[in-house]
Amino acid sequence: MVSNATIISMFVPIVFSFLLFAGLILFYKKKTGIYVKPLIIGSIGFIVFTQILEKVLHVIVITSFPNYADHPWLFGLYGGMAAGVFEEIGRFILFTWLLKKYLDYKGGISFGIGWGGIEGVLLMLMIFVPNILFAFFINAGTFESELAGQIPADQLATLKETVLSQGVSFYLLASVERLFAVFLQIALSLLVLLAVVKKKFSYVIYAILIHAMIDYPLAFYQTGHIKSLWVIELYLAIICAFSFIFIKKAKRMIH
């Protein structure tokens, strides 16, 4: 059985992601101002470049290499570079083609909030809504009958064990992770904007490499080679601190 406390905690990261998105808009609206167009373009850009284009590549790669989880070093390298290339090149294209009138700090902040905010909302919905449904199926005793035929039996057993083993702390930490991640997305958006403003594509390369380097260790958690979620959260907290420092410094660099 999945406890009521755990089921309630599953809703927390979903609600938090919406509140975080709205809170960042309100906070920066007072602090620096917000442009609506970059905010919307950033949100749409994330969906197009990561949830459509990048996902197509992932489907091809995972289909071709079904045992990817057995090779976390290569999986991490591929995953990090794929995310870096699609996201940072995507940002560069959008700033260059669609946001020529918004190439200032306010535009970069707005774009970054749109990109990082919608990322949090979509990921939390895609990850935790199914978990909520699975928890209800488990408690009703219909988990196997509801999903039989859709998922292989061995994967179904693993999925059930995962849902049963994830406690309240797992879902609460997911909210903290979103807070860390959104500041990274804002910082990377500003770095790419700086590349456009200064006409230095090398900054885009730096953004790709930084993105890949940050994502690389996460592959070891995704494949089960790192068991402690606290290690990942500490790592992301450090990244968030550096991101926040860069966000503040970028205000003097982008005019």
Side-chain angles (χ1 to χ4, degrees):
M1 295 287 289
V2 181
S3 70
N4 289 333
T6 299
I7 292 175
I8 291 171
S9 70
M10 291 177 179
F11 288 91
V12 173
I14 296 173
V15 174
F16 180 79
S17 66
F18 280 96
L19 293 177
L20 179 61
F21 197 179
L24 285 169
I25 293 172
L26 293 175
F27 175 78
Y28 278 102
K29 184 178 180 181
K30 292 183 178 180
K31 190 174 179 64
T32 63
I34 288 288
Y35 290 131
V36 174
K37 184 176 179 179
L39 183 72
I40 295 174
I41 293 296
S43 298
I44 295 173
F46 173 81
I47 295 171
V48 171
F49 283 96
T50 72
Q51 301 305 298
I52 298 176
L53 299 178
E54 187 182 346
K55 285 291 173 63
V56 171
L57 176 62
H58 290 336
V59 169
I60 294 171
V61 171
I62 291 174
T63 301
S64 302
F65 303 96
N67 296 322
Y68 67 91
D70 297 332
H71 307 281
W73 298 96
L74 292 175
F75 175 60
L77 181 62
Y78 158 73
M81 287 303 298
V85 168
F86 277 95
E87 293 198 45
E88 307 318 323
I89 294 296
R91 289 186 234 260
F92 181 77
I93 290 172
L94 294 174
F95 276 126
T96 304
W97 288 0
L98 300 180
L99 297 172
K100 294 179 181 179
K101 296 181 180 179
Y102 301 93
L103 302 180
D104 57 7
Y105 184 75
K106 181 178 173 181
I109 289 289
S110 302
F111 182 92
I113 291 173
W115 191 285
I118 201 67
E119 177 191 41
V121 170
L122 288 180
L123 291 185
M124 296 302 96
L125 288 173
M126 289 189 295
I127 294 171
F128 296 121
V129 168
N131 277 23
I132 293 168
L133 294 175
F134 296 155
F136 284 129
F137 291 158
I138 290 170
N139 288 354
T142 61
F143 182 79
E144 286 78 8
S145 61
E146 289 283 353
L147 300 175
Q150 301 178 44
I151 302 174
D154 57 335
Q155 294 181 22
L156 197 61
T158 301
L159 178 59
K160 183 176 183 178
E161 179 59 32
T162 299
V163 175
L164 288 170
S165 64
Q166 290 171 339
V168 173
S169 62
F170 173 83
Y171 297 100
L172 297 183
L173 283 173
S175 300
V176 177
E177 185 270 336
R178 275 300 97 203
L179 179 64
F180 295 158
V182 73
F183 284 108
L184 171 62
Q185 294 290 19
I186 294 173
L188 288 171
S189 296
L190 290 170
L191 180 55
V192 174
L193 173 58
L194 192 62
V196 177
V197 172
K198 302 293 185 181
K199 294 180 170 48
K200 291 186 177 181
F201 190 76
S202 59
Y203 289 171
V204 178
I205 303 300
Y206 298 153
I208 291 172
L209 294 176
I210 290 169
H211 200 138
M213 180 185 68
I214 291 170
D215 280 5
Y216 183 77
L218 302 182
F220 291 87
Y221 178 76
Q222 294 171 348
T223 56
H225 291 79
I226 293 179
K227 304 293 185 181
S228 175
L229 187 58
W230 290 100
V231 172
I232 298 300
E233 294 303 328
L234 176 60
Y235 172 72
L236 292 175
I238 295 170
I239 299 300
C240 177
F242 281 109
S243 298
F244 194 73
I245 292 170
F246 178 76
I247 290 169
K248 293 180 71 70
K249 288 188 175 181
K251 190 172 185 179
R252 299 193 298 270
M253 303 165 69
I254 303 172
H255 304 290

